[in-house]
């Protein structure tokens, strides 16, 4: 049929009373509507009337024509409504722009309506937190305001609500500021002029069901899962996963089918939950659904299950899964159980792990015998074991009885199962992981002592800030290596530490010996507080407080006897310095335990209103209640923060409240709102910290918007600095987006904002070597403000940690810049301090640690995030810098067999050896120092000689004293030459030096490239070798005797032994040697003598005692100028004898 050129005649048929003519007109218009819609627009009312006429036989055809007309008018909402009314005439399978647009609009509307339906998963704020910031408190927000808008800019988004990345977090409350009708329409989707009462809900649901069925038929399950997640339809998710499982079973019969398997779909859904979904409540519901459907999957991934269990905090499910794997009895299941236990320790809190250990099946032996048995195996943890047994018989009786009753009724526990559960308990306690990490750092220590010695020689030790900087650099370089030789070799330098420098130096031993569980208490025994004895010198209070801090760092996030030991010293201490160190040690060792007793002890000290220990106590309270959202603790801390007059206490409490809300997301919104509206800038500063820790790693758009708003609007520089810095915590999982976000902020007129931008880059891009971040930081090294230069240097070291010149050619230049800043006499002290600790960070842990805020499996690294958050407070208090060591993560691959022993085996790296090799050690040039002195003398004498030549002429010049004696006499011509040519010579020499440096760098790069080209690609690596994060994708385990139970991700990997009957070769653990600390001297003179005149001892004995024992005499000495400290002994009376002859002469006179 010939196409229509004009619709005027056909349109006239629409107004005829005969239905046949009307139907004919609609059919003709439907065929040619794309070209004739402009003539049909005027008759759209008649077409709508035909659709609404119940007696018209082709209502669906009229609806279809009306939908196409509105589509061409770009009225997509009206077009969608009429397209739904078209029923089966709207062909989903037809490929066209009209159909695609309508389908997309239907999906958006379906998601919006599902979000507002009463059956959808809503995101109600927890009721227990509604009083977390009381409305009567100064500056708190009202409850009604918090419901509609938790924080003010959060609800000011103009982005469409259909996206999970921008969806509003408020509940189903009506917001008049958003477009939408009051008839149940979705806000922001339907304009108010279109009443949503046409009964299209059923039609929309039918359309979506057809769309889902087509996706199922084509095997496109991911599309269904994506729509269902955004629409919060758990029933659709369940149906899609079950359908995928059914198709998987059919796939086994038909090899030609290429449908997605259920396991892959489950993994895809898990990835969406962790990386896309931002609402905590929706994520929890989705994870619970995944766990419910796992039994329908033919081959579920146990490690993905464990990941869900950790996030949901389902300790009972974790213990049940471990018990089921052990009871299977086969070696593969046992190895998987061990690997899951290692993963649980890496990704869980102490409280979670403690409950899992309690709920594991216990052997039928009496509790006391079991406690004695475990005490024999884990002697240092006997107290904790007794507590676990008591709690398991009291608080967790129902769960343990249900867990143990089946095994007791069926058959007693076998010896193999009992041994397996004991091993799992050891793994969950963290002892095995910490022991293996300590061994790795000890064996592979590549610290360059030349760099450390240069730092010490370049910085004046009598200056407290410089002494602290050297101490921190030493601690970071040797973190976890147990190598404290630097203290032993520099006792004279160490003796210059006074007051808080001594506190920091003693606490550095905790960083160096972190994880040394078996010997930590022995090492610190000479430093720990001692009972007051009349006439006896108990040592310096600063070293005692630092020792408690160090003890907490050694046993960080590991609840053992050390926690009770620190608590005992803390409660008995009367010195504020000792209480300060004890509070920090308690917080680090008891992190996330939620111990009410420790919290009460800390609160009692807080109420003494001492500014010195109040800050540490506030931080410790937050560390103990880390991530619990404890309402009572928050109320106590908020109230006292408003009552006290000490800024240090308020600052500590503000950070403590932020720690309590760690990873709580929406549950922290009301607290954030109240803190940010407080007139006190310190509490607003705490509100920013709370927001950063509550949404850390989520990439939340609303949190980012809030931080950017505060960064440019708050009147306090501290608050603005923290707001910019907090961007790094929110976005560390998307490091490439941070440089673009802070690019303008890095050029701000405000130096505090520039510093925050530098630190945000360092936090988010740590260990990545991101070029965009380095390009932003390099100009900031020359910033006119000293603390901005400091932040830029620290951020550069965090980004370039563990990088060599093969990975990033700029690392060599950055290292030279750091060393040059330390040696520059004209540089500010703040910049030198930053350079010193930067050199420690870039070589952290003997060059075997990186900074990572997420674990090997992708979960949040709680210890690292907390350590980084407290480290940023070094701005106010230098001893808190040690917390950065909690962020150091060993980059290792450690394989253990089913006996938890370390076998000798090799794995393969498909790279050149030099690509991920250690950086070369610095070359020490003995000729550098004399040349520098010689040049300086020549410059001085030349200037003096020129001045003398102008005054005295030739006669005075000949009589001058020249420091440097020349080999031949100087003539006047030579003197004239020096006068006229020296400036030009200097300029030429500087140019030549710069050209030589550039040529040298280019030549060095050329040599490196040529050497890499000659190297063979691929090499074998021994067990317990360093494997960088960028190197993991090149690692493979060749088929042999040992095979990993999961894809290697770094850290501890359990290996299955394919030939267990054969003998095996094990690696010797070298870090288990016994350390015998020296006895602490009793008097001040004894300590000084022991420090500066140590007795001669064989080399082996000195190696055994270590630097910690030898430094005890220096650090325990009481500073004479300490206010309230022990005074020196009064000299004994002595007789004065006079010469008799002199007396006689005086008498005669």
């Amino acid at each position: 049929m010939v196409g229509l050129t004009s619709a005027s005649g056909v349109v006239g048929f629409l107004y005829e009373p005969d239905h046949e003519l009307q139907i004919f007109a609609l059919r003709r218009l439907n065929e040619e509507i794309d070209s004739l819609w402009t003539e049909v627009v005027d008759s759209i009312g008649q077409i709508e009337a035909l659709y609404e006429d119940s007696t018209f036989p082709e209502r669906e055809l009229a609806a279809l024509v009306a939908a196409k007309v509105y589509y061409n008018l770009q009225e997509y909402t009206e077009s969608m409504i009429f397209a739904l009314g078209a029923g089966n005439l709207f062909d989903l399978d037809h490929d066209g722009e009209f159909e695609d647009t309508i389908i997309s609009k239907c999906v958006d509307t379906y998601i919006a309506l599902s979000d507002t339906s009463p059956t959808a998963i809503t995101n109600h704020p927890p009721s227990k937190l509604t009083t977390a910031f009381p409305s009567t408190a100064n500056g708190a927000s009202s409850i009604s305001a918090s419901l509609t808008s938790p924080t003010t800019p959060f609800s000011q988004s103009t982005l469409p609500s259909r996206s999970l990345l921008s969806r509003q977090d408020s509940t189903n409350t009506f917001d008049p500021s958003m477009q939408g009708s009051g008839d149940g329409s979705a806000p922001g989707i339907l304009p108010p002029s279109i009443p949503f009462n046409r009964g299209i809900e059923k039609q929309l649901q039918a359309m979506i069901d057809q769309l889902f069925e087509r996706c199922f038929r084509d095997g496109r399950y991911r599309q269904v899962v994506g729509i269902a997640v955004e629409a919060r339809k758990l029933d659709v998710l369940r149906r899609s996963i079950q359908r995928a499982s059914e198709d998987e079973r059919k796939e086994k019969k038909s090899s030609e089918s290429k449908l997605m398997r259920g396991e892959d779909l489950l993994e895809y859904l898990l990835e969406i939950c962790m990386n896309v979904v931002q609402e905590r409540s929706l994520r929890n519901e989705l994870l619970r659904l995944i766990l419910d459907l796992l039994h329908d999957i033919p081959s579920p991934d146990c490690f993905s299950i464990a990941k869900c269990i950790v996030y949901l905090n389902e300790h009972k499910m974790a213990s049940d899964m471990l018990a089921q794997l052990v009871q299977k009895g086969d070696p593969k299941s046992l190895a998987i159980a061990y690997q899951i236990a290692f993963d649980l320790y890496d990704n869980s809190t102490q409280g979670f792990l403690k409950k899992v250990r309690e709920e594991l099946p216990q052997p039928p032996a009496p509790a006391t015998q079991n406690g004695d048995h475990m005490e024999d195996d884990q002697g240092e943890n006997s107290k904790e074991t007794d507590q676990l047994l008591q709690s398991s018989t009291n608080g967790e009786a129902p769960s343990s009885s249900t867990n143990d009753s089946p095994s007791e009724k069926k058959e007693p526990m076998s010896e193999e199962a009992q041994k397996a559960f004991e091993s799992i308990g050891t793994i969950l306690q963290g002892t095995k992981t910490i022991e293996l990490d300590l061994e790795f750092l000890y064996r592979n220590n590549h610290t360059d002592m030349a760099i450390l010695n240069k730092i010490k020689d370049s910085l004046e030790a009598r200056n407290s800030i410089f002494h602290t900087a050297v101490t921190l650099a030493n601690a970071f370089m040797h973190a976890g290596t147990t190598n404290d030789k630097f203290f032993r070799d520099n006792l004279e330098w160490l003796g210059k530490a006074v007051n808080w420098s001594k506190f920091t130096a003693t606490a550095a031993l905790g960083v160096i010996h972190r994880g040394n569980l078996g010997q930590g208490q022995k090492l610190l025994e000479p430093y720990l507080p001692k009972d007051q004895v009349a006439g006896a010198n108990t040592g310096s209070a600063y070293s005692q407080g630092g020792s408690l801090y160090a003890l907490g760092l050694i046993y960080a996030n590991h609840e053992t006897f050390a926690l009770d030991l620190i608590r005992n010293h803390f409660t008995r201490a009367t010195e504020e310095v000792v209480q300060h160190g004890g509070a920090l040690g308690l917080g680090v060792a008891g992190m996330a335990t939620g111990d009410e007793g420790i919290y009460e002890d800390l609160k009692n000290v807080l109420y003494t209103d001492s500014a010195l220990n109040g800050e540490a106590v506030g931080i410790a309270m937050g560390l103990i209640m880390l991530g619990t959202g404890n309402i009572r603790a928050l109320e106590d801390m908020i109230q006292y923060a408003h009552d006290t007059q000490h800024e240090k206490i308020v600052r500590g409490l503000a950070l403590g409240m932020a720690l309590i809300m760690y990873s709580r997301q929406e549950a922290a919104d009301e607290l954030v709102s109240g803190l940010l509206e407080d007139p006190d800038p310190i509490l607003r500063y705490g509100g920013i910290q709370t927001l950063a820790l509550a949404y850390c790693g989520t990439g939340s758009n609303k949190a980012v918007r809030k931080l950017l708003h505060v960064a440019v609007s708050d009147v306090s520089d501290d608050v603005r600095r923290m707001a910019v810095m907090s961007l790094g915590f929110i976005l560390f999982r998307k490091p490439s987006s941070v440089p673009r976000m802070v690019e303008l902020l890095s050029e701000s007129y405000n130096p505090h904002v520039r510093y925050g931008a530098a630190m945000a880059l360092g936090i988010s891009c740590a260990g990545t070597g991101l070029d965009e971040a380095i390009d932003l930081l390099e100009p900031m090294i020359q910033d006119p403000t000293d603390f901005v230069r400091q932040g830029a240097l620290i951020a550069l070291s965090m980004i370039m940690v563990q990088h060599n010149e093969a990975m990033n050619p700029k690392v060599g230049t950055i290292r030279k810049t750091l060393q040059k800043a330390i040696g520059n006499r004209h540089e500010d002290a703040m910049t030198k301090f930053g350079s010193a600790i930067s050199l420690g960070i870039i070589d952290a842990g003997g060059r075997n640690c990186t900074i990572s805020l997420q674990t090997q499996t992708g979960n949040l690294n709680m210890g690292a995030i907390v350590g980084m958050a407290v480290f940023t407070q070094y701005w106010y208090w230098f001893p808190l810098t040690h917390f950065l060591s909690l962020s150091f993560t060993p980059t290792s691959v450690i394989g253990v067999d089913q006996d938890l022993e370390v076998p000798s085996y090799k794995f393969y790296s498909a790279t050149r050896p030099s690509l991920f090799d250690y950086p070369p050690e610095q070359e020490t040039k003995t000729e550098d120092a004399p040349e520098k002195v010689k040049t300086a003398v020549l410059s001085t004498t030349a200037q003096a000689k020129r001045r003398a030549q102008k005054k005295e002429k030739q006669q005075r010049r000949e009589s001058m004293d020249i420091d440097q004696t020349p080999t031949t006499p100087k003539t006047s011509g030579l003197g004239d030459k020096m006068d006229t040519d020296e400036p030009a010579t200097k300029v030429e020499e500087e140019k030549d030096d710069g050209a030589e440096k550039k040529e040298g760098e280019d030549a060095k790069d050329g040599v490196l490239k040529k050497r890499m080209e000659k190297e063979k690609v691929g090499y074998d690596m021994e067990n317990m070798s360093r494997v960088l994060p960028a190197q993991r994708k090149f690692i493979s385990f060749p088929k042999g005797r040992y095979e990993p139970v999961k894809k290697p991700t770094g850290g501890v990997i359990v290996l299955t032994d394919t030939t267990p009957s054969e003998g095996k070769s094990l690696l010797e653990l070298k870090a288990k040697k016994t350390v015998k600390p020296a006895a602490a001297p009793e008097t001040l003179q004894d300590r000084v003598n022991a420090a500066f005149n140590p007795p001669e001892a064989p080399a082996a004995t000195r190696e055994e005692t270590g630097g910690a024992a030898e430094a005890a005499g220096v650090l325990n000495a009481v500073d004479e100028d300490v206010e309230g400290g022990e005074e020196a002994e009064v000299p004994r009376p002595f007789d004065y004898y006079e010469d008799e002859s002199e007396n006689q002469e005086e008498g005669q006179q």
Side-chain angles (χ1 to χ4, degrees):
M1 183 179 296
V2 180
L4 296 175
T5 59
S6 176
S8 56
V10 178
V11 169
F13 290 154
L14 295 175
Y15 296 92
E16 295 292 333
D18 189 359
H19 288 335
E20 293 294 334
L21 293 177
Q22 294 172 341
I23 293 173
F24 171 77
L26 289 174
R27 288 176 179 173
R28 292 290 294 163
L29 291 175
N30 182 47
E31 296 173 358
E32 307 289 344
I33 194 63
D34 291 336
S35 58
L36 301 177
W37 66 270
T38 55
E39 300 181 45
V40 184
V41 169
D42 295 334
S43 302
I44 189 64
Q46 178 62 22
I47 299 176
E48 291 184 14
L50 294 177
Y51 166 68
E52 294 174 358
D53 185 4
S54 58
T55 61
F56 187 64
E58 294 289 344
R59 295 180 59 208
E60 295 181 350
L61 181 60
L64 182 60
V65 174
K68 291 183 178 181
V69 172
Y70 279 116
Y71 165 76
N72 286 280
L73 289 172
Q74 297 185 1
E75 295 288 343
Y76 299 123
T77 301
E78 290 283 359
S79 178
M80 177 201 67
I81 293 174
F82 285 105
L84 292 175
N88 295 330
L89 294 182
F90 180 77
D91 188 6
L92 290 175
D93 297 329
H94 186 270
D95 188 12
E97 292 184 3
F98 169 69
E99 287 77 12
D100 293 343
T101 303
I102 297 302
I103 291 174
S104 176
K105 191 66 179 179
C106 289
V107 171
D108 291 343
T109 306
Y110 174 76
I111 292 172
L113 292 177
S114 301
D115 195 15
T116 59
S117 64
T119 58
I121 306 170
T122 55
N123 203 10
H124 298 281
S127 58
K128 67 177 183 179
L129 291 178
T130 54
T131 58
F133 204 96
S135 58
T136 58
N138 186 17
S141 58
S142 64
I143 299 298
S144 60
S146 66
L147 287 176
T148 56
S149 179
T151 53
T152 305
F154 285 15
S155 62
Q156 296 178 355
S157 170
T158 58
L159 299 177
S161 61
R162 68 190 182 192
S163 173
L164 284 174
L165 299 178
S166 59
R167 172 173 292 156
Q168 302 295 330
D169 286 312
S170 58
T171 56
N172 300 334
T173 55
F174 175 71
D175 189 353
S177 63
M178 300 183 64
Q179 289 187 351
S181 66
D183 302 330
S185 60
I189 293 295
L190 299 178
S193 58
I194 304 297
F196 204 74
N197 56 0
R198 303 183 183 180
I200 68 167
E201 291 90 342
K202 295 182 179 179
Q203 300 171 354
L204 178 63
Q205 185 63 49
M207 172 80 71
I208 295 298
D209 290 341
Q210 293 179 20
L211 181 64
F212 287 166
E213 187 60 33
R214 188 180 69 174
C215 292
F216 290 151
R217 186 174 62 251
D218 299 338
R220 294 180 293 178
Y221 295 100
R222 293 195 178 191
Q223 295 184 7
V224 180
V225 168
I227 296 173
V229 169
E230 292 216 36
R232 303 168 180 244
K233 291 291 188 179
L234 299 185
D235 55 339
V236 177
L237 279 174
R238 184 184 299 273
R239 180 156 55 100
S240 62
I241 294 176
Q242 291 176 346
R243 181 71 174 267
S245 300
E246 295 175 359
D247 293 336
E248 182 181 359
R249 298 188 186 97
K250 297 177 181 178
E251 183 182 358
K252 296 180 180 179
K253 301 179 180 179
S254 175
S255 59
E256 298 179 357
S257 178
K258 296 183 180 181
L259 299 177
M260 176 172 290
R261 301 183 60 191
E263 182 181 355
D264 297 334
L265 187 62
L266 185 64
E267 183 179 352
Y268 174 71
L269 179 58
L270 183 60
E271 182 181 356
I272 290 179
C273 291
M274 296 301 179
N275 300 327
V276 178
V277 178
Q278 295 183 1
E279 292 93 336
R280 184 185 181 93
S281 59
L282 174 59
R283 184 181 298 155
N284 289 346
E285 292 294 335
L286 294 176
L287 291 176
R288 293 183 188 280
L289 174 64
I290 293 174
L291 292 177
D292 291 340
L293 294 174
L294 282 173
H295 65 276
D296 295 332
I297 303 299
S299 55
D301 185 4
C302 294
F303 303 107
S304 298
I305 300 173
K307 194 173 183 179
C308 299
I309 290 174
V310 169
Y311 192 89
L312 293 172
N313 200 27
E314 293 287 349
H315 48 84
K316 185 65 170 62
M317 297 180 68
S319 59
D320 291 343
M321 181 173 62
L322 292 173
Q324 292 173 4
L325 290 171
V326 171
Q327 290 170 1
K328 287 184 179 180
D330 59 293
K332 184 64 179 289
S333 299
L334 184 61
I336 293 176
Y338 286 162
Q339 186 66 67
I340 290 176
F342 279 115
D343 292 344
L344 288 176
Y345 173 75
D346 290 338
N347 297 281
S348 308
T349 63
Q350 292 190 53
F352 179 88
L353 296 172
K354 183 177 180 179
K355 292 178 181 178
V356 174
R357 294 198 304 269
E358 292 173 357
E359 295 169 350
L360 286 175
Q362 302 294 335
T368 55
Q369 296 179 7
N370 184 33
D372 295 340
H373 181 69
M374 293 186 69
E375 183 177 353
D376 294 337
D377 291 344
Q378 307 169 16
E380 63 183 17
N381 302 325
S382 58
K383 296 181 180 180
E384 183 184 9
T385 305
D386 296 338
Q387 295 175 0
L388 296 183
L389 293 173
Q390 292 174 5
S391 61
S392 63
T393 55
N394 297 332
E396 301 292 339
S399 60
S400 60
S401 62
T402 56
N403 196 18
D404 294 340
S405 57
S407 59
E408 292 178 359
K409 292 180 179 179
K410 293 181 180 179
E411 57 182 5
M413 186 181 299
S414 62
E415 295 183 2
E416 292 77 6
Q418 182 176 347
K419 181 181 177 181
F421 284 122
E422 291 177 359
S423 299
I424 290 176
T426 303
I427 297 172
L428 293 176
Q429 200 169 18
T431 306
K432 195 64 183 178
T433 302
I434 295 174
E435 175 188 336
L436 294 173
D437 286 341
L438 183 72
E439 177 67 23
F440 164 74
L441 294 175
Y442 179 83
R443 296 169 67 97
N444 298 277
N445 184 11
H446 282 73
T447 302
D448 191 351
M449 294 302 297
I451 297 177
L452 190 57
N453 290 328
K454 186 174 181 180
I455 298 174
K456 178 183 71 68
D457 296 337
S458 301
L459 300 179
E460 176 57 46
R462 295 186 182 276
N463 193 329
S464 177
I465 185 176
F466 290 158
H467 196 286
T468 301
V470 178
T471 301
L472 294 171
N474 173 46
F476 290 159
M477 284 186 180
H478 294 99
T481 63
T482 70
N483 185 351
D484 50 17
K485 182 176 179 293
F486 180 79
F487 282 161
R488 182 177 66 239
D489 295 342
N490 297 278
L491 292 177
E492 182 179 357
W493 166 84
L494 191 61
K496 298 178 182 179
V498 293
N499 299 342
W500 290 104
S501 295
K502 185 174 294 185
F503 178 93
T504 306
T506 309
L509 294 172
V511 178
I512 296 172
H513 291 275
R514 183 191 172 196
N516 197 353
L517 304 181
Q519 304 161 18
Q521 184 183 6
K522 296 179 182 179
L523 288 165
L524 296 175
E525 190 66 36
Y527 303 89
L528 293 174
K530 299 174 180 59
D531 296 333
Q532 295 286 345
V533 179
N537 184 4
T538 57
S540 171
Y542 291 96
S543 64
Q544 293 175 2
S547 66
L548 295 178
Y549 186 14
L551 195 62
L553 290 170
I554 291 176
Y555 296 90
N557 200 17
H558 183 68
E559 186 181 8
T560 59
F561 73 98
L563 187 61
D564 295 331
L565 179 62
I566 300 173
R567 182 180 180 184
N568 183 37
H569 284 299
F570 174 75
T571 53
R572 294 167 55 188
T574 56
E575 293 280 350
E576 291 182 341
V577 178
V578 179
Q579 290 178 338
H580 182 94
L584 293 177
L586 271 178
V588 177
M591 189 185 303
T593 57
D595 193 307
E596 294 286 347
I598 298 178
Y599 173 80
E600 291 297 328
D601 292 341
L602 292 169
K603 189 170 69 172
N604 293 334
V605 176
L606 175 69
Y607 286 166
T608 61
D609 203 41
S610 170
L612 184 59
N613 55 31
E615 182 177 16
V617 169
I619 296 174
M621 293 167 68
L623 289 172
I624 294 296
M625 295 295 176
L626 179 65
T628 60
N630 190 295
I631 175 63
R632 186 174 66 86
L634 289 173
E635 289 176 346
D636 294 340
M637 297 170 77
I638 292 170
Q639 184 64 39
Y640 196 77
H642 285 96
D643 293 342
T644 186
Q645 300 298 318
H646 296 291
E647 291 185 357
K648 291 177 69 67
I649 296 179
V650 178
R651 185 174 295 113
L653 291 173
L655 178 56
M657 288 186 284
L659 293 170
I660 292 177
M661 282 299 179
Y662 165 78
S663 193
R664 302 291 294 180
Q665 297 187 17
E666 293 85 359
D669 284 349
E670 187 180 357
L671 177 63
V672 171
S673 177
L675 290 174
L676 290 182
E677 294 177 6
D678 197 281
D680 188 351
I682 300 180
L683 286 180
R684 295 203 305 274
Y685 184 94
I688 294 297
Q689 290 176 309
T690 305
L691 182 63
L693 292 180
Y695 288 90
C696 59
T698 62
S700 172
N701 282 355
K702 70 174 186 179
V704 171
R705 286 195 297 270
K706 182 63 175 177
L707 292 175
L708 292 175
H709 172 75
V710 175
V712 297
S713 63
D714 200 277
V715 296
S716 171
D717 287 337
D718 289 344
V719 178
R720 297 179 66 180
R721 182 183 68 248
M722 191 63 202
V724 181
M725 192 187 310
S726 297
L727 292 172
F729 289 97
I730 304 294
L731 299 170
F732 69 80
R733 282 180 168 169
K734 303 174 183 177
S736 59
S737 63
V738 179
R740 184 176 64 256
M741 187 171 296
V742 302
E743 183 175 2
L744 294 178
L745 295 173
S746 65
E747 300 175 358
S748 171
Y749 72 94
N750 191 325
H752 292 267
V753 174
R754 298 199 301 270
Y755 173 87
M759 292 300 293
L761 291 170
I763 294 169
S764 61
C765 305
T768 61
L770 194 65
D771 291 333
E772 292 81 358
I774 297 173
D775 293 339
L776 286 179
L777 290 171
E778 284 180 333
M780 301 177 72
I781 299 176
Q782 308 297 330
D783 195 275
T785 308
D786 54 355
F787 61 80
V788 177
R789 297 196 298 272
Q790 180 194 77
L793 293 174
I794 294 175
L796 279 173
S797 66
M798 295 168 67
I799 294 173
M800 302 302 294
V801 61
Q802 282 198 318
H803 278 66
N804 57 23
E805 295 190 4
M807 299 173 64
N808 194 319
K810 293 184 179 181
V811 68
T813 305
I814 293 174
R815 286 181 177 272
K816 292 179 181 178
T817 303
L818 294 174
Q819 296 180 16
K820 182 180 178 181
I822 290 177
N824 187 357
R825 293 182 302 171
H826 305 289
E827 189 59 84
D828 294 318
M830 296 291 290
T831 307
K832 288 186 176 182
F833 177 84
S835 300
I837 64 175
S838 297
L839 286 171
I841 294 171
I842 202 170
D843 289 337
R847 298 182 172 179
N848 292 297
C849 289
T850 188
I851 298 177
S852 178
L853 301 188
Q854 55 183 340
T855 63
Q856 310 275 10
T857 55
N859 286 358
L860 296 180
N861 189 342
M862 181 191 69
I865 294 173
V866 171
M868 183 66 72
V870 182
F871 160 73
T872 58
Q873 304 309 301
Y874 83 90
W875 179 278
Y876 303 102
W877 193 234
F878 283 156
L880 297 179
T881 311
H882 285 309
F883 270 82
L884 182 62
S885 62
L886 301 180
S887 301
F888 294 162
T889 303
T891 53
S892 61
V893 169
I894 305 174
V896 296
D897 58 15
Q898 293 170 326
D899 296 327
L900 299 184
E901 296 176 332
V902 184
S904 176
Y905 82 103
K906 295 182 179 181
F907 53 92
Y908 185 75
S909 176
T911 60
R912 292 183 172 89
S914 61
L915 181 57
F916 299 106
D917 198 6
Y918 289 96
E921 293 189 0
Q922 185 179 9
E923 298 179 0
T924 56
K925 298 180 180 179
T926 56
E927 300 178 357
D928 288 349
E931 286 181 0
K932 289 182 179 179
V933 174
K934 184 177 179 181
T935 304
V937 172
L938 267 176
S939 176
T940 305
T941 54
Q943 293 176 3
K945 189 172 67 174
R946 286 196 303 272
R947 288 193 299 266
Q949 286 172 348
K950 293 179 181 179
K951 295 180 181 180
E952 303 290 340
K953 301 289 184 174
Q954 183 68 23
Q955 294 81 7
R956 183 62 177 168
R957 183 181 59 80
E958 293 178 354
S959 62
M960 283 184 59
D961 293 330
I962 306 299
D963 291 341
Q964 181 181 0
T965 304
T967 56
T968 57
K970 292 184 179 181
T971 62
S972 59
L974 182 60
D976 296 337
K977 183 178 180 181
M978 290 183 67
D979 289 339
T980 57
D981 295 347
E982 185 178 2
T985 304
K986 283 188 175 182
V987 174
E988 291 177 2
E989 287 179 355
E990 291 178 358
K991 290 182 178 179
D992 293 341
D993 291 342
E996 288 177 1
K997 287 182 179 179
K998 290 183 179 179
E999 291 177 0
E1001 291 177 358
D1002 294 340
K1004 190 175 181 180
D1005 293 342
V1007 171
L1008 182 62
K1009 290 180 180 179
K1010 290 182 180 179
R1011 189 180 69 179
M1012 290 184 62
E1013 290 175 357
K1014 293 180 180 179
E1015 287 180 343
K1016 181 181 178 182
V1017 177
Y1019 62 101
D1020 292 332
M1021 303 181 69
E1022 296 287 343
N1023 194 7
M1024 276 200 171
S1025 294
R1026 186 185 78 151
V1027 177
L1028 302 185
Q1031 189 180 2
R1032 291 175 195 157
K1033 57 186 177 182
F1034 301 105
I1035 296 298
S1036 62
F1037 287 78
K1039 292 185 178 180
R1041 177 171 180 176
Y1042 296 102
E1043 297 180 356
V1045 297
K1046 72 168 187 175
K1047 183 179 180 181
T1049 56
V1052 181
I1053 299 176
V1054 180
L1055 307 171
T1056 56
D1057 190 353
T1058 57
T1059 56
S1061 59
E1062 299 180 2
K1064 57 184 179 181
S1065 175
L1066 302 177
L1067 294 180
E1068 179 186 1
L1069 301 184
K1070 301 179 181 179
K1072 279 189 173 183
K1073 61 182 181 180
T1074 305
V1075 175
K1076 300 178 181 179
E1082 292 299 328
T1083 65
L1084 175 61
Q1085 188 62 35
D1086 291 339
R1087 290 190 176 96
V1088 175
N1089 293 336
F1092 294 100
N1093 300 302
E1096 294 294 332
T1101 305
R1102 294 188 65 190
E1103 289 294 332
E1104 288 181 358
T1105 56
E1110 296 195 19
V1114 177
L1115 295 177
N1116 278 328
V1118 179
D1119 301 324
E1120 295 182 0
D1121 57 345
V1122 176
E1123 183 180 355
E1126 275 191 11
E1127 297 181 357
E1129 296 182 1
V1130 178
R1132 297 178 180 178
F1134 56 91
D1135 296 330
Y1136 181 74
Y1137 298 96
E1138 296 180 351
D1139 191 352
E1140 295 180 357
S1141 60
E1142 292 180 359
N1143 292 336
Q1144 292 176 358
E1145 292 178 358
E1146 291 178 358
Q1148 292 175 358
Q1149 294 176 357

